[in-house]
Amino acid sequence: MKYKGTIILLILVILLGLYLSLIELPSQKAKQQEEERAQTLLQFEPHDAIAISLTYPNRQTDREILLEKETEEKWQIVKPIMAQADQNEVETLISSLKSMKMERVVEDKAQDLKIYGLEDPEVRVSLKLKDHEEHLLLGDQAPVGSTVYAKKGGEDSVRLIGQYYKTGLMKTLTDLRKKEVLDFDPQHVIKMSLEYPGKAFVLSRENGQWWIKNPGAYKADEDEVSEVLDYLVRLKAKAFVDEGQSEIVKTLEKPQFKLEMENENTSTAILSIYQFQGQSKDQQKVYAVTNRQYPIYLIEPQVITDLNQDLFTLRDKHLLTFDQAKVQAIEIRKSSEEPLTLRREGENWNYEGQPLEETQRKKISDLLEYLLELKAEKILDESPKSLKPYGLLSPSIQISLFDSLQDKLAEIVIGDKKDDLVYARNESAETIYLIRDEMIQDLRDKSDLQEKTAQKPPQ
């Protein structure tokens, strides 16, 4: 009997919890949703939108813009011209209309719309949905707060909404047009030709690796090629020249840059960039033309500089290429010092049969990573008659990497200094490189393992 009161109290707590979770909370949530719905001006789901009309009666140009959904993920402009739409801009526009909420009702049954700027509104919006249409008028700014007058089609009441909603709807044709000059996926590009006044390059991707085919055969710098492709993907117009608007196309003769790009499906994209000098600096303009004759894109002048490439930039500048997992022995020679040979046994590294400490194993790992990432500042001589002028016959540092069969995987040789650079050579190629002097100090530090290797125990 002494637990009866506790049991009754527990049952009451459970019943109260059930009441709150099954009745009270759903009721409050439904009430809140109904209040939010009452404040929402336009009732629709974004995926149901199939057309949007924006009308600006007081404008001189772009007075009416009509957008239509072409596919589930693609919108197009059909008025005042036929053009591809900026999908992000359209989605933002729809999202703004969907989230538009009133702050309060100004007048339930407005008799004179002129006093609110709604008789001849700044913006008229018509939203065509799958099963109905929504209409909205936006008028003058209210005297209090950052609000404007709004009226929904089919209703007599005038309401106040945030000024930012109106600002978000003040779109120009240029705002809503697709501004990307090229439409392609960098991962699917297999060939590129880049032409400039006085120079040209051809690059091809083979088995996932980019190669320069012209003006010579070289391995390409993957990062640099990716940067070029990413830049082209991001290239956007700041304005458009459409058919019938200008004779500018007749003045475009010799491009400052021309691109031909081939995809895996053999489709080709062409981009030509022209510079129009004009009579003053302010009149200088840069235009881009693609496979289509129109539109002609007006782009930033900086694009010509950004896309200007040279052979050294496009070439792979890594001095060494090797598989780190295959390295089983490292030989380090420094000037007149005795060579230091380290050997891998399983997961450990040994020096003269003795395992290295963890800090030293980490230093070897850092050394291998450093060698893989080491890049040249200049490519000096690809067919030297002699290595002596570069100090490469008696190098200051020589590091050799071997596999399990003692076959040489890679070798770097460091020679004399030249100003703030140092001569270097990959043993498997004739090319003489110049690398930064501070890199050599880094290399010396990372290869300084002699004094810190484990010592043999006394015999």
Side-chain angles (χ1 to χ4, degrees), residues 240-253 274 276 285 287 289 293-294 296:
F240 302 87
V241 179
D242 291 300
E243 186 175 7
Q245 289 187 333
S246 174
E247 294 293 315
I248 188 66
V249 70
K250 295 179 181 178
T251 69
L252 305 180
E253 296 177 356
Y274 300 86
F276 179 74
K285 291 180 172 59
Y287 297 96
V289 179
Q293 185 177 5
Y294 292 99
I296 298 172

Side-chain angles (χ1 to χ4, degrees), residues 38 75 78 137 146 150 156 164-165 168 170 176 180 187 218 220 236 243 314 317 340 352 377 409 456:
W75 284 79
V78 297
L137 306 179
S146 298
D156 295 326
Y164 54 89
Y165 287 122
M170 301 299 291
L176 294 169
E180 288 80 8
Q187 299 300 319
Y218 309 100
K236 290 187 177 183
E243 186 175 7
L314 292 172
K317 292 166 280 294
L340 171 67
E352 295 186 358
E377 290 295 303
L409 294 172
K456 281 186 175 182

Side-chain angles (χ1 to χ4, degrees), residues 35-83:
E35 288 175 352
E36 289 180 356
R37 181 180 176 83
Q39 290 178 332
T40 302
L41 266 68
L42 305 179
Q43 306 293 333
F44 72 98
E45 293 301 324
H47 58 80
D48 288 336
I50 56 176
I52 306 169
S53 173
L54 300 171
T55 305
Y56 308 95
N58 300 325
R59 281 186 183 174
Q60 296 299 315
T61 59
D62 298 347
R63 287 170 63 91
E64 184 179 359
I65 302 173
L66 178 59
L67 301 110
E68 291 182 353
K69 182 183 282 188
E70 189 174 1
T71 65
E72 280 302 315
E73 297 181 352
K74 191 174 182 181
W75 284 79
Q76 63 177 354
I77 299 169
V78 297
K79 190 176 182 180
I81 63 170
M82 292 289 295

Side-chain angles (χ1 to χ4, degrees), residues 28 68 97 227:
Q28 289 182 2
E68 291 182 353
L97 291 170
E227 272 194 32

Side-chain angles (χ1 to χ4, degrees), residues 292-304:
R292 304 183 304 274
Q293 185 177 5
Y294 292 99
I296 298 172
Y297 303 90
L298 180 65
I299 59 176
E300 295 291 345
Q302 183 63 31
V303 171
I304 291 178

Side-chain angles (χ1 to χ4, degrees), residues 104-168:
R104 65 182 177 88
V105 175
V106 178
E107 189 176 355
D108 283 324
K109 292 188 177 182
Q111 299 298 316
D112 185 4
L113 295 180
K114 188 175 182 180
I115 62 174
Y116 303 113
L118 293 168
E119 186 175 80
D120 190 17
E122 287 192 59
V123 188
R124 295 177 186 267
V125 181
S126 294
L127 181 64
K128 187 176 181 180
L129 304 155
K130 292 178 180 178
D131 56 356
H132 72 287
E133 291 188 14
E134 295 277 3
H135 302 275
L136 183 67
L137 306 179
L138 299 183
D140 295 341
Q141 184 170 351
V144 180
S146 298
T147 56
V148 295
Y149 298 112
K151 180 180 177 297
K152 184 178 176 181
E155 296 183 358
D156 295 326
S157 59
V158 174
R159 309 174 187 187
L160 285 179
I161 64 170
Q163 170 72 35
Y164 54 89
Y165 287 122
K166 180 180 175 181
T167 302

Side-chain angles (χ1 to χ4, degrees), residues 128-367:
K128 187 176 181 180
L129 304 155
K130 292 178 180 178
D131 56 356
H132 72 287
E133 291 188 14
E134 295 277 3
H135 302 275
L136 183 67
L137 306 179
L138 299 183
D140 295 341
Q141 184 170 351
V144 180
S146 298
T147 56
V148 295
Y149 298 112
K151 180 180 177 297
K152 184 178 176 181
E155 296 183 358
D156 295 326
S157 59
V158 174
R159 309 174 187 187
L160 285 179
I161 64 170
Q163 170 72 35
Y164 54 89
Y165 287 122
K166 180 180 175 181
T167 302
L169 292 174
M170 301 299 291
K171 300 295 185 182
T172 64
L173 181 60
T174 299
D175 290 336
L176 294 169
R177 289 184 71 167
K178 183 178 184 291
K179 298 167 197 64
E180 288 80 8
V181 176
L182 294 172
D183 187 7
F184 71 97
D185 184 344
Q187 299 300 319
H188 294 161
V189 178
I190 59 171
K191 190 175 182 180
M192 249 191 330
S193 68
L194 310 173
E195 294 182 27
Y196 311 86
K199 59 182 178 179
F201 308 102
V202 176
L203 297 97
S204 177
R205 186 165 63 178
E206 301 170 4
N207 299 320
Q209 169 67 53
W210 280 98
W211 295 87
I212 299 172
K213 297 296 185 178
N214 186 57
Y218 309 100
K219 188 178 179 182
D221 188 312
E222 294 289 320
D223 292 337
E224 292 294 340
V225 176
S226 293
E227 272 194 32
V228 172
L229 290 170
D230 289 343
Y231 189 92
L232 292 168
V233 167
R234 298 192 308 269
L235 182 60
K236 290 187 177 183
K238 63 178 185 178
F240 302 87
V241 179
D242 291 300
E243 186 175 7
Q245 289 187 333
S246 174
E247 294 293 315
I248 188 66
V249 70
K250 295 179 181 178
T251 69
L252 305 180
E253 296 177 356
K254 190 174 181 180
Q256 295 296 307
F257 170 80
K258 185 175 181 181
L259 163 78
E260 289 193 24
M261 190 163 48
E262 185 178 318
N263 293 335
E264 293 169 344
N265 60 5
T266 69
S267 63
T268 303
I270 298 174
L271 171 68
S272 298
I273 296 179
Y274 300 86
Q275 189 168 26
F276 179 74
Q277 295 294 343
Q279 296 181 351
S280 66
K281 187 176 181 181
D282 293 337
Q283 292 178 319
Q284 293 181 5
K285 291 180 172 59
V286 174
Y287 297 96
V289 179
T290 63
N291 303 51
R292 304 183 304 274
Q293 185 177 5
Y294 292 99
I296 298 172
Y297 303 90
L298 180 65
I299 59 176
E300 295 291 345
Q302 183 63 31
V303 171
I304 291 178
T305 302
D306 292 343
L307 285 174
N308 193 10
Q309 301 291 320
D310 55 42
L311 181 59
F312 177 77
T313 303
L314 292 172
R315 282 184 64 171
D316 180 26
K317 292 166 280 294
H318 290 90
L319 268 69
L320 300 178
T321 303
F322 59 91
D323 185 346
Q324 204 174 151
K326 291 184 179 180
V327 178
Q328 296 296 312
I330 303 173
E331 183 181 88
I332 302 171
R333 295 175 179 267
K334 295 182 183 178
S335 300
S336 59
E337 295 179 11
E338 288 294 317
L340 171 67
T341 302
L342 305 162
R343 302 187 186 279
R344 193 201 298 264
E345 291 188 9
E347 297 297 319
N348 206 344
W349 284 90
N350 290 348
Y351 170 66
E352 295 186 358
Q354 299 301 311
L356 299 183
E357 298 174 358
E358 184 178 351
T359 55
Q360 294 310 106
R361 295 199 301 270
K362 176 65 167 58
K363 200 165 187 179
I364 292 173
S365 177
D366 290 345
L367 173 64

